Amino acid sequence: MTGGMRYIGVDAGGHTISAAAVDFSSSPPRLCSAITIDTPADRGLSSLLSAVSDITLRLARGCDSCRVGVGLPGFIDKERLRVRRLTNFHGCDGLPLGMMIAERLAEKGLHAPVSIENDANCAALGEGLAGEAAGLSDYVVLTLGTGVGAGIVADGRLLRGAHGMAAECGHIAVCEGDSLCGCGGVGHLERAASADWLEGRAKEAGLPGDFKKLWRARGESRAAEIIEPALEALARGIASVCATLDPEAVIISGGMARAEGLAAELSARAEKYLSAPFRDSFELRVSKLGGEAAVIGAASLPAGEDKR
């Protein structure tokens, strides 16, 4: 892949950073090349900037010009210029990360505009372009991984809200108690059901701190004590989203979504919380794109949402 304009999407997750050059000339769009690296262990500002710029430079080799979109796990301001809060990284809050990444790239000889967006919003755009939401105009994508994120498309448009923070479904209050979430609130879905929190609880209980192993052991009492409340919290969250938005489908994505049987469990549990009129239309789907959705969505940002 040489010459011409290159669209590069980056998904900066808490465990891995994935990136690819995306070809939008075909339908659906396709990844021409892809790279995944481990997220720097310290999850700090400097290492994040270095990792994103380095992976972008690798993908930009040989092109005349490129545009870069970066999906970030947290709150972004309405103008999509500054991060308001990244719950899984530190030292980034309040900073114009897009401009800072562009400056890092320019220092290394690549002059490219860089757009930033919430990572789950990127996943929602990607699912609409090439995944389970193709052809839908009203849908929700829930990303279940290091944190719990969401992207909402309503009447064919990405929902951002008055202050740019719409769709933060990981921070809806579904739990009792005063357990503090990384965002600063209490009782949140992310605190109850994200992989990071579940793995932390598993370690405290003397179990392997790995969600896959925890899920496979869910029939055992100690694992069930951790998994069961998380499933109930997710089911309540899904039912609440459906009652609020009346989507055509809810699509789950992320590392946790691939757990065998998880979607069926969540669907059955969510139905008991749904009002009767919603049950006939309720549909829970599992993303087939996985992490590719956020990369495709991120790559679509610089050229505008008219690509979706």
Side-chain angles (χ1 to χ4, degrees), residues 70-146:
V70 182
L72 296 166
F75 301 85
I76 313 295
D77 71 358
K78 186 176 183 179
E79 293 76 22
R80 275 14 194 190
L81 297 175
R82 292 179 179 272
V83 165
R84 298 192 67 167
R85 185 165 189 133
L86 294 189
T87 55
N88 297 309
F89 290 88
H90 61 86
C92 303
D93 297 354
L95 298 179
L97 285 195
M99 184 183 74
M100 294 172 75
I101 294 166
E103 289 174 348
R104 284 285 183 105
L105 294 174
E107 289 171 2
K108 298 182 179 182
L110 178 64
H111 297 273
V114 178
S115 300
I116 58 173
E117 179 57 86
N118 172 270
D119 58 347
N121 284 349
C122 291
L125 291 174
E127 290 291 344
L129 284 163
E132 288 295 312
L136 303 184
S137 59
D138 293 86
Y139 61 91
V140 178
V141 174
L142 288 176
T143 57
L144 310 178
T146 304

